[in-house]
Amino acid sequence: MPRFVVETHPFGPAVANLITQLSKLPGIGNKSAERLAHHIIAAPDGEAFALADAVRQVKAAIHPCRICFNLTEGDLCRICKSPQRNHQVLCVVEQPRDVISLEAAGSFDGVYHVLQGRISPLDGIGPEDLTIDALMRRVRNDHVQEIVMATNPTLEGDGTALFISNLLAHLPVKITRLARGIASGSVLEFANKEMLADALRGRQTF
């Protein structure tokens, strides 16, 4: 269902346009957009202009890393530049925000490759729309020893991981995926069937 677009507003077209643009943000409906718009209008000029400048600055400064396609302000992101990282272990994720989540866990010392999406034929997204070709070049040229598939555990994410795994099958690289199943401290009673199925398939020696 298309999002309702505010075309007119009692205060004039400028306010209507601001509400329309804010309502395009994820998780922001028209009511929330209207509240944000009125907050911006009521804010001191310096505060409102600082917000506008921050948006312009981030759009001008942030771009994909030349190697891994994570977001950065320089030619390379801090992870790709770090000599402390294991550049022979490469974790494949869908989006830059996935890198942030995995880094927050503090348990991975390898590097990343951001696909910038996942294969989704229904949305018109094919392998050619992702950074899969660049991934294949990295594996061949950088002596990568292990690929960790960390795509989202969805139909599209698993399909993307399977597609990439098939491309890598003839190369001397170990392919693993993130463990799934029952989290520590959880109770079986509250686990859904997909979690239980993953836990059973990924069972380990006790």
Side-chain angles (χ1 to χ4, degrees), residues 35-46:
R35 284 194 294 270
L36 289 171
H38 284 288
H39 172 79
I40 292 171
I41 293 168
D45 288 353

Side-chain angles (χ1 to χ4, degrees), residues 1-167:
M1 180 180 296
R3 179 185 289 274
F4 173 72
V5 177
V6 178
E7 295 181 349
T8 60
H9 192 278
F11 294 162
V15 177
N17 182 51
L18 178 58
I19 294 172
T20 297
Q21 299 308 316
L22 290 170
S23 70
K24 294 178 182 178
L25 297 173
I28 302 296
N30 288 295
K31 288 295 184 183
S32 296
E34 189 165 4
R35 284 194 294 270
L36 289 171
H38 284 288
H39 172 79
I40 292 171
I41 293 168
D45 288 353
E47 182 179 321
F49 295 152
L51 173 61
D53 289 341
V55 173
R56 292 192 188 93
Q57 183 179 2
V58 77
K59 290 300 294 181
I62 299 297
H63 54 268
C65 170
R66 176 172 55 84
I67 293 178
C68 74
F69 299 92
N70 190 18
L71 295 180
T72 182
E73 291 190 19
D75 184 42
L76 299 177
C77 71
R78 63 173 182 81
I79 296 174
C80 285
K81 288 192 295 187
S82 173
Q84 280 75 45
R85 308 295 292 227
N86 183 352
H87 291 257
Q88 275 67 60
V89 179
L90 201 159
C91 183
V92 177
V93 299
E94 294 181 20
Q95 301 289 353
R97 58 180 176 268
D98 299 326
V99 175
I100 295 174
S101 298
L102 290 168
E103 283 294 285
S107 301
F108 182 66
D109 66 350
V111 293
Y112 297 90
H113 187 89
V114 180
L115 295 173
Q116 296 186 338
R118 73 280 185 273
I119 298 173
S120 179
L122 292 178
D123 296 321
I125 302 173
E128 68 280 0
D129 299 309
L130 308 180
T131 62
I132 294 176
D133 286 344
L135 170 63
M136 297 300 293
R137 287 194 296 271
R138 290 183 71 184
V139 174
R140 293 192 185 98
N141 299 336
D142 297 347
H143 308 291
V144 174
Q145 298 174 359
E146 180 182 356
I147 296 287
V148 181
M149 291 296 177
T151 53
N152 289 316
T154 62
L155 184 63
E156 293 87 357
D158 286 342
T160 302
L162 179 60
F163 180 87
I164 294 172
S165 297
N166 289 336
L167 292 179

Side-chain angles (χ1 to χ4, degrees), residues 180-188 190-192 194-200:
R180 302 176 184 175
I182 308 301
S184 297
S186 61
V187 180
L188 290 181
F190 302 114
N192 62 43
E194 289 81 11
M195 290 172 60
L196 290 171
D198 270 336
L200 288 169

